[in-house]
Amino acid sequence: MRLFIAAEIPAPIIHRLGALIEHLRGEIAGPRWVKPEGIHLTFKFLGEVNEQDLPRLSGALGAAMKPMMSSATPPLVVSLAGIGTFPERGRAKVLWVGLREPTGGLETTHRRVAQAVQSAALVPVRGRERVFSPHLTLARFGEGPTPAGLAHAIATCNEALEPSGESFEVASVCLFQSLLKPGGAEYRKLEEYPL
C-alpha cells in the first residue's frame, strides 16, 4: 500500500485554491495541475507499506497525537502565505501555496508524525531528513525549462493572495492511501487522529 500522512483542507479553502489554479492555468503553460479535491498538507510520505504493518503504524500515530489533544493546546490555525516554487532557484519542479502558523504547532505535529513512523519501524531511517516546509502543492513541472511568465504570475498572485488572510484550523492528521490511476492519483482516508 502506498501511504502518506497529511491533514485535510476545508472545502472553502479548496474552492479558493481551485480558483487560483484556474487563474494560473491561463498564465503558465506546461505544468501538471493538481486536482483541487486532492490538495492536502503532507506531513510525511511513506511510500509502500505492507498492509500487516498498518496496526503498528496506527497505534504509533495515535499515541504520538494524544499529547496534542490537551485542552491547554491552542487550536492549530494556519494561514495561506503566498506562492512559490521548489527549488527556489534554478528550474522549478513544484508550484505551491505556502502556509503560516506562528505558534510552531505545524512543526511540532510534523516532528510527532516523524517520531511515530520511526517508532513503528516501517521506513528505513535515512541520513538527514528534508527540512519541513509547510505548503499545498498546486502543480508539478516536467523536465523542460521553467515556463515563461512563471515569475510574473507568482508575483501577481502573491499581491492578490497575501492580504486575504485566509486561514483554517488543522484539527486532525490522517493516514491516507494513494491509489495511482491513469487519470491521476486518488486518495483514500484510512485513519484519522484528532489533534
Side-chain angles (χ1 to χ4, degrees), residues 65-149:
M65 296 304 123
K66 270 188 184 157
M68 298 188 75
M69 293 173 58
S70 157
S71 61
T73 305
L76 190 52
V77 178
V78 179
S79 301
L80 302 183
I83 299 173
T85 61
F86 291 137
E88 290 179 26
R89 294 190 178 95
R91 187 178 62 78
K93 294 182 180 178
V94 174
L95 177 67
W96 47 258
V97 170
L99 299 174
R100 182 181 303 123
E101 190 281 313
T103 70
L106 283 180
E107 182 60 43
T108 299
T109 304
H110 173 258
R111 191 173 54 254
R112 288 182 179 279
V113 165
Q115 289 167 348
V117 170
Q118 188 172 352
S119 73
L122 298 180
V123 183
V125 177
R126 298 185 188 101
R128 250 179 40 196
E129 283 282 322
R130 283 186 194 165
V131 173
F132 178 61
S133 181
H135 68 279
L136 306 174
T137 299
L138 300 178
R140 292 180 177 84
F141 297 95
E143 291 299 317
T146 298

Side-chain angles (χ1 to χ4, degrees), residues 9-183:
I9 307 301
I13 300 295
I14 291 293
H15 179 73
R16 171 74 170 101
L17 295 173
L20 183 60
I21 288 170
E22 283 309 307
H23 171 76
L24 287 167
R25 263 186 221 275
E27 302 284 321
I28 307 167
R32 291 183 317 276
W33 297 99
V34 172
K35 295 176 187 172
E37 63 274 13
I39 295 175
H40 48 266
L41 168 55
T42 302
F43 287 102
K44 184 85 173 161
F45 178 77
L46 302 176
E48 290 297 325
V49 174
N50 290 324
E51 194 168 348
Q52 64 265 23
D53 293 328
L54 282 179
R56 190 167 73 238
L57 174 60
S58 184
L61 284 168
M65 296 304 123
K66 270 188 184 157
M68 298 188 75
M69 293 173 58
S70 157
S71 61
T73 305
L76 190 52
V77 178
V78 179
S79 301
L80 302 183
I83 299 173
T85 61
F86 291 137
E88 290 179 26
R89 294 190 178 95
R91 187 178 62 78
K93 294 182 180 178
V94 174
L95 177 67
W96 47 258
V97 170
L99 299 174
R100 182 181 303 123
E101 190 281 313
T103 70
L106 283 180
E107 182 60 43
T108 299
T109 304
H110 173 258
R111 191 173 54 254
R112 288 182 179 279
V113 165
Q115 289 167 348
V117 170
Q118 188 172 352
S119 73
L122 298 180
V123 183
V125 177
R126 298 185 188 101
R128 250 179 40 196
E129 283 282 322
R130 283 186 194 165
V131 173
F132 178 61
S133 181
H135 68 279
L136 306 174
T137 299
L138 300 178
R140 292 180 177 84
F141 297 95
E143 291 299 317
T146 298
L150 177 62
H152 175 72
I154 288 173
T156 302
C157 286
N158 278 335
E159 286 175 16
L161 186 65
E162 195 63 39
S164 70
E166 291 169 283
S167 62
F168 60 95
E169 183 178 343
V170 175
S172 64
V173 169
C174 303
L175 177 62
F176 286 96
Q177 181 180 11
S178 175
L179 304 163
L180 299 178
K181 306 264 179 134

